[in-house]
Amino acid sequence: MGLFNALAEWREASHEKKIARNRERGTCPACRGQGFYPLAASEYMAFHSADAYTCQHCSGSGLYADWERYQSQF
Ligand SMILES: [Zn+2]
C-alpha cells in the first residue's frame, strides 16, 4: 500500500517536472514540441489512424499553449 503511494507520488512529481520544463520552453509536453510522436513515444498513442503520428495533445503544433488548451477539454 505504502509502496504504491510512494510510486504514485513519484510518478506525479515526475509528470509535474516534465510539464514545468516544457512550460518554460513553450513546448508541448506530450511530443516535446515536435508536433508528432517518434516511434519510441508510442505510450502516448491512444488512437490508430492515418495521422497516428500527429500529436493529439497539441494538434501537431508542438506548442505548450495548444497543449494546455487541449488539456482543458478532457
Ligand atoms: Zn504535442
Side-chain angles (χ1 to χ4, degrees):
M1 208 72 90
L3 181 65
F4 177 80
N5 286 339
L7 199 62
E9 275 172 33
W10 177 80
R11 284 186 57 138
E12 187 67 25
S14 172
H15 183 67
E16 292 291 320
K17 260 187 231 169
K18 184 181 172 185
I19 289 174
R21 200 163 55 229
N22 281 278
R23 188 191 296 127
E24 282 169 22
R25 290 182 194 159
T27 53
C28 169
C31 64
R32 297 187 201 140
Q34 294 181 86
F36 62 89
Y37 301 112
L39 287 176
S42 57
E43 60 184 291
Y44 287 113
M45 249 184 258
F47 306 101
H48 292 278
S49 61
D51 59 351
Y53 295 106
T54 299
C55 180
Q56 308 281 336
H57 298 262
C58 63
S59 202
S61 72
L63 299 174
Y64 181 86
D66 283 334
W67 173 83
E68 197 170 43
R69 193 148 39 92
Y70 279 96
Q71 283 296 107
S72 62
Q73 292 177 6
F74 294 114

